[in-house]
Amino acid sequence: SLKSWSAGIIPSITGLLTLVWVLGAMPLVGIPVQILLVGVPAMVMIIGSTEDTYIIHEYQEGFEKGKTFDFAIKYLSKKISLALCLTATTTAIGFFSVSINEIIMVKEFGIVNGMAMLANFFITVSVAPLYLKYFYKKPKKKKENQLEHGKLWYFVYEKILYIINERKNIPRAFSLILIALGVYSWIQLEPNNNNIQSLKPDNPIRQELTYLTKNFSGIHDIFIVFEAPEETNWRCILAT
C-alpha cells in the first residue's frame, strides 16, 4: 500500500523518534533498563507502523482525488482519525493493564510499552503529515506492459483468492488441521524448570551433571530464602 520508498521511510522515522522519547522518559518515571525491555523497539516498529501505513494509504487515495495536500489531509482525517485514536488508546490500555502484575520487571514492561504506544501515536500524527508535505514523492504510474498482473506474486494472490472464494472446504480443512496440531502440541507440553538445560551440551558443568544423573540418583534443585532487615550486611553473612 505504500507504493514508494519515500513513503516507506515514515514508519522508521516515527519509530526511532518514539524510542528516543521513551528512553528519555524512563529515568523520569524511575524505570531502569532491564532484560524485558529489549522487546520494546520491536513492539514499536511492528505495532506502531500500522498507524503510519493507514495514514499513507489514505493520503495517497485522497491525493489522487483532490490533487492537493490540503485536500488529502482533510480526506484522511475524516476517514481514519477516530480509528487511529481508538487503536492507539486500546493498545496503550492493554499494555498499561500489564502493570497491575506484582512482578516488578513485568510491571515496568507494561508501563514502558504503554508509554511507547501513546508516544508513537502523537509522533505519527505530528510527523507523518509534515513528511508527506515536504518529502513525499508521488509514485509514478506504470505503463501497460509494467502492470502488476504480470508478476508471480499477483498470480499467487489470485490463486489464494480463488481457493478462498470458490473452494471453501480447502481453507476450512486446513484450519481444522492447524487447530488439531495446536491442540496436540498443547497436550504434549510439560513444565520444566531445570536450569541446567539452558547450558550447551558440551559445557563441562552440564556433562558432569548428566553423568551424575545417569549413574547415580541425580540432582534436585533446592531453593533457600533468607529474610532480614534492609540494613543487613549480606556480604558478611554469606562470607561466614
Side-chain angles (χ1 to χ4, degrees), residues 32-176:
V33 177
Q34 43 106 332
I35 189 169
L36 289 183
L37 300 182
V38 175
V40 173
M43 293 286 186
V44 171
M45 298 304 296
I46 295 172
I47 300 177
S49 62
T50 56
E51 299 171 354
D52 302 279
T53 304
Y54 293 147
I55 290 176
I56 296 168
H57 177 76
E58 296 301 332
Y59 175 83
Q60 290 172 342
E61 186 174 326
F63 195 86
E64 290 177 359
K65 293 183 178 181
K67 305 300 181 181
T68 62
F69 170 80
D70 294 336
F71 180 88
I73 292 298
K74 293 178 181 179
Y75 178 84
L76 74 87
S77 63
K78 289 180 180 180
K79 291 198 66 175
I80 63 172
S81 57
L82 179 60
L84 289 179
C85 291
L86 291 177
T87 301
T89 303
T90 53
T91 305
I93 291 174
F95 280 115
F96 280 130
S97 64
V98 179
S99 63
I100 301 175
N101 197 298
E102 295 182 357
I103 302 175
I104 296 178
M105 295 180 66
V106 177
K107 180 183 294 187
E108 293 174 347
F109 174 81
I111 294 174
V112 172
N113 275 286
M115 293 192 306
M117 294 302 109
L118 291 178
N120 185 79
F121 169 73
F122 289 111
I123 290 174
T124 298
V125 298
S126 302
V127 174
L130 292 175
Y131 183 91
L132 290 171
K133 182 176 182 179
Y134 295 105
F135 302 102
Y136 172 70
K137 295 181 180 179
K138 185 180 177 182
K140 298 180 180 179
K141 292 185 178 180
K142 296 183 178 181
K143 299 179 181 180
E144 291 295 329
N145 58 354
Q146 294 179 333
L147 291 178
E148 296 175 338
H149 59 260
K151 294 183 179 181
L152 177 62
W153 70 266
Y154 190 86
F155 173 78
V156 175
Y157 173 73
E158 281 190 329
K159 289 297 181 181
I160 293 175
L161 286 182
Y162 172 77
I163 294 174
I164 293 175
N165 295 323
E166 304 296 334
R167 302 289 183 88
K168 297 181 179 180
N169 290 331
I170 295 178
R172 291 171 183 171
F174 185 72
S175 300
L176 291 175

Side-chain angles (χ1 to χ4, degrees), residues 17-28 31 33 40 112 115:
L17 289 176
T18 300
L19 293 177
V20 173
W21 277 30
V22 172
L23 291 174
M26 284 172 57
L28 299 178
I31 297 178
V33 177
V40 173
V112 172
M115 293 192 306

